[in-house]
Amino acid sequence: MPYCMYLRKSRKDSDHPGQAEEDVLIRHEQLLWETAQRLGLQIEAIYREVVSGDSIAGRPVMQQLLREVSAGDWDGVLVVEIERLARGDTQDQGAVAKAFQYNGTKIITPMKVYDPNDEFDEEYFEFGLYMSRRELKTINRRLMRGRQASAKQGKYIGGIPPFGYEKQKLPDQKGYTLIPNTDADTVRLIYSLYLGENSLGTGELATVLNNSGYRTQKKHFWSGSTVQKILSNPVYMGKIKIGYRPKVKVFENGVQKVIRPVKAFGEYTLIDGLHEGLISEEEWYQAAEKLKSSALVHTTKKYKPQNPFSGLMKCQLCGYAMKRQTNARGGSMYCVTPGCPCQYTDVATLELQLLEALRQSLSAFSHTESERNVIADEIKRTEQQLVQLRREQERLQRQLGNLFDLLEQGIYDKSTFVSRRTHLEEQLAALAETAAQLEQQRGLTQTKEAQAAALIPRIQSVLDTYLHLNSALEKNRLLKTVLRRIDYLRPDRDTPPALTLYLKFED
Ligand SMILES: [Zn+2]
């Protein structure tokens, strides 16, 4: 994700005559580096406008930047304030606004990130102080229409092709269509099993597929919901969806948000695709009908995350994510991989075990803390060694110098001189290497110290608050402040589960 900086002095800066122009730009650059670091942005170029022309025509660096933005080279441009990009006549401002808008290039200032992809970023439109709101809306609509027009022609406008298809560039025109691949037969099988005599449910169907060796697009095991996705996608009867996930503006706790809800079947438009369907329309509607009636049986409940270990816990035997299953005791964690000998354990048990493991790692760190003096001593010793080394280096250098005198005075003959010199140079090279190693070692000790010190208060706060939290979502967020991953191991019921923690150090 490449980003660049654009630095330009403006007339405003001359209002502080006490500051040299260079100082102003250096201060601005510093500010932008801090912003980049805070937001984790990768800066790959810095543009400095040396001339202070007001119009784009008078600003060659700006022209270059606009060309690159128009080519889609940058994900975002960092500037001290948005006015640095375009000031002056409205035509210029329009050109800047359009270039950024068309390419979805973000404008990042220390105060705010302006995102043109977010059509509800009001302030971006106000940056369109330069471009009227109506004008921008028209452009946006035109872009949307472009996509919709493609879809209306039956082209495939999605990113990743659906399971069973490959994306293929259309000959002699813009856009893509789909062609069946080797997974197409699996799609046909899913429909025929679902509509077949045995009348399998989606969960049972997943088990049948897994046991017969079928795998999903990501080469993982099928589940009820992945099967359901196949059964409800009209792409398989040769159709293209339009207006499937439109953006909707909502207010949540007084904060404006944009959501893209998946629309239910019947709420979006279907168009005949250019691609070939894998099953008949009749079959597809039959499957849709069956899905709908089975959905009515289940009471619809609003989805609420229930798994505090979500995104963290992996089965150590097969490496796949552990899932949570509801039971009377507040749920249990189990491995979904068919045939994996991994045994389940109750969530509540694992929570206590995890907290105990965290407490232990904390006391290991605190131990380190009491040993901090020892480490400080170690660093001091390394530094003393380095001082010693440098003295030795100087001594050898002097000897090397003396050698020349001895040669000149005729005390050493040529061959003695050469052999002494080689010997001294070898000693010097060995010293330099030792010094480099010592420096590296000192660096490592220091970083490890700093990382451990930063983690201690975070772990302490998990230990203090975890059991007071009521929702799995809050618990999950808290765990993720200190953990990257938890490996779960329980090969048989007689052994208690073992957890391996991967702590989240900085970097
Ligand atoms: Zn497993």
Side-chain angles (χ1 to χ4, degrees):
M1 296 291 275
Y3 288 82
C4 69
M5 287 180 187
Y6 178 72
L7 293 160
R8 170 167 94 94
K9 193 180 78 64
S10 87
R11 240 189 264 118
K12 230 163 53 179
D13 302 329
S14 321
D15 296 345
H16 308 280
Q19 282 175 318
E21 283 175 12
E22 298 76 52
D23 289 350
V24 174
L25 286 191
I26 288 168
R27 195 163 43 80
H28 286 174
E29 188 180 329
Q30 177 65 27
L31 190 62
L32 294 185
W33 276 116
E34 281 164 17
T35 309
Q37 199 179 16
R38 177 163 47 86
L39 301 172
L41 306 177
Q42 183 123 10
I43 302 297
E44 292 189 0
I46 302 176
Y47 292 97
R48 291 183 182 85
E49 194 83 71
V50 278
V51 296
S52 57
D54 252 349
S55 72
I56 292 179
R59 290 191 280 144
V61 178
M62 185 64 194
Q63 289 168 27
Q64 172 69 20
L65 180 63
L66 277 186
R67 269 196 298 276
E68 293 179 3
V69 165
S70 304
D73 288 351
W74 301 110
D75 289 315
V77 177
L78 281 81
V79 283
V80 188
E81 36 180 28
I82 209 151
E83 291 83 3
R84 302 276 155 161
L85 284 175
R87 211 177 191 179
D89 67 61
T90 41
Q91 218 177 338
D92 275 359
Q93 291 163 340
V96 172
K98 270 181 198 147
F100 279 78
Q101 193 93 25
Y102 276 138
N103 295 286
T105 309
K106 292 184 187 126
I107 299 174
I108 295 133
T109 70
M111 299 299 289
K112 187 185 152 48
V113 175
Y114 300 84
D115 185 358
N117 297 318
D118 178 358
E119 57 176 303
F120 297 112
D121 188 341
E122 297 287 341
E123 287 178 76
Y124 200 100
F125 286 98
E126 262 132 48
F127 152 57
L129 18 135
Y130 313 126
M131 212 191 272
S132 76
R133 180 173 290 251
R134 184 183 299 167
E135 196 182 346
L136 282 173
K137 283 235 162 100
T138 316
I139 289 172
N140 242 341
R141 225 176 293 131
R142 211 183 299 143
L143 287 174
M144 278 303 290
R145 268 208 301 271
R147 267 173 73 78
Q148 293 215 344
S150 287
K152 276 182 187 148
Q153 290 161 22
K155 296 174 184 175
Y156 184 70
I157 55 168
I160 303 162
F163 180 77
Y165 285 110
E166 305 282 342
K167 249 164 92 166
Q168 194 183 50
K169 182 104 188 56
L170 284 163
D172 309 323
Q173 55 173 320
K174 276 190 177 177
Y176 292 86
T177 188
L178 299 169
I179 50 159
N181 64 13
T182 48
D183 288 328
D185 282 338
T186 312
V187 174
R188 294 190 187 100
L189 179 70
I190 289 173
Y191 277 88
S192 73
L193 284 174
Y194 191 63
L195 300 171
E197 301 269 299
N198 297 327
S199 186
L200 298 173
T202 49
E204 296 161 309
L205 219 163
T207 309
V208 170
L209 290 170
N210 291 333
N211 292 342
S212 329
Y214 291 97
R215 297 293 178 262
T216 66
Q217 203 162 17
K218 290 179 184 157
K219 305 287 169 251
H220 198 9
F221 296 94
W222 290 94
S223 65
S225 68
T226 45
V227 166
Q228 192 174 332
K229 266 185 198 150
I230 300 286
L231 290 170
S232 57
N233 194 342
V235 80
Y236 296 120
M237 57 166 168
K239 304 282 184 184
I240 295 287
K241 291 175 275 197
I242 291 182
Y244 176 53
R245 294 187 65 183
K247 285 186 181 176
V248 179
K249 203 196 294 197
V250 292
F251 278 89
E252 206 171 88
N253 304 326
V255 182
Q256 185 180 286
K257 278 188 179 170
V258 178
I259 53 166
R260 295 185 58 203
V262 173
K263 288 214 165 186
F265 179 70
E267 291 176 45
Y268 52 85
T269 317
L270 285 182
I271 296 287
D272 284 334
L274 293 176
H275 67 282
E276 164 200 345
L278 299 179
I279 46 139
S280 70
E281 277 190 43
E282 196 191 345
E283 285 170 303
W284 193 89
Y285 282 105
Q286 245 179 306
E289 203 53 48
K290 189 176 164 188
L291 278 176
K292 206 168 108 191
S293 58
S294 66
L296 288 177
V297 177
H298 302 293
T299 45
T300 43
K301 230 191 284 171
K302 200 174 174 248
Y303 174 73
K304 217 170 117 202
Q306 298 284 344
N307 178 5
F309 307 124
S310 173
L312 286 170
M313 195 170 278
K314 304 263 189 307
C315 165
Q316 203 171 319
L317 293 173
C318 69
Y320 280 115
M322 303 277 296
K323 285 241 163 81
R324 180 189 168 279
Q325 197 166 37
T326 310
N327 65 14
R329 300 177 302 275
S332 64
M333 298 300 292
Y334 73 104
C335 175
V336 289
T337 304
C340 182
C342 182
Q343 301 292 313
Y344 71 87
T345 304
D346 284 346
V347 171
T349 311
L350 287 174
E351 283 181 320
L352 292 178
Q353 195 173 335
L354 178 68
L355 289 176
E356 185 47 41
L358 277 174
R359 198 166 290 127
Q360 277 170 19
S361 68
L362 187 65
S363 72
F365 280 135
S366 309
H367 185 226
T368 312
E369 205 170 10
S370 76
E371 278 183 345
R372 195 145 289 177
N373 293 332
V374 180
I375 291 170
D377 280 350
E378 201 176 298
I379 292 174
K380 208 189 269 169
R381 251 201 320 279
T382 314
E383 269 161 5
Q384 279 166 354
Q385 267 174 291
L386 278 166
V387 171
Q388 200 66 38
L389 266 177
R390 285 191 190 111
R391 262 189 222 136
E392 183 67 7
Q393 278 173 321
E394 281 166 26
R395 195 179 64 81
L396 290 175
Q397 289 287 1
R398 269 200 307 278
Q399 275 194 25
L400 201 57
N402 290 341
L403 274 186
F404 287 94
D405 295 341
L406 293 170
L407 180 69
E408 275 169 21
Q409 291 160 24
I411 297 171
Y412 277 172
D413 60 25
K414 184 85 194 228
S415 75
T416 313
F417 167 79
V418 171
S419 87
R420 288 287 160 107
R421 193 182 65 175
T422 316
H423 181 62
L424 281 177
E425 279 173 351
E426 276 168 7
Q427 278 182 292
L428 275 168
L431 279 181
E433 198 175 316
T434 315
Q437 276 170 0
L438 281 175
E439 268 166 4
Q440 194 188 0
Q441 190 187 321
R442 181 185 55 181
L444 278 178
T445 316
Q446 281 168 336
T447 347
K448 242 193 256 161
E449 265 295 285
Q451 286 179 333
L455 199 55
I456 290 171
R458 284 190 275 144
I459 295 180
Q460 190 59 56
S461 116
V462 173
L463 293 176
D464 292 344
T465 47
Y466 189 87
L467 291 174
H468 299 292
L469 296 177
N470 294 319
S471 86
L473 188 66
E474 285 175 297
K475 285 179 171 178
N476 187 249
R477 283 196 188 130
L478 187 65
L479 289 181
K480 282 178 176 165
T481 62
V482 295
L483 290 166
R484 273 191 297 126
R485 172 177 171 157
I486 306 164
D487 273 358
Y488 171 97
L489 181 66
R490 191 174 197 186
D492 56 80
R493 296 260 3 121
D494 298 332
T495 341
L499 299 179
T500 311
L501 309 190
Y502 294 83
L503 292 169
K504 196 189 229 164
F505 289 104
E506 237 55 72
D507 298 323

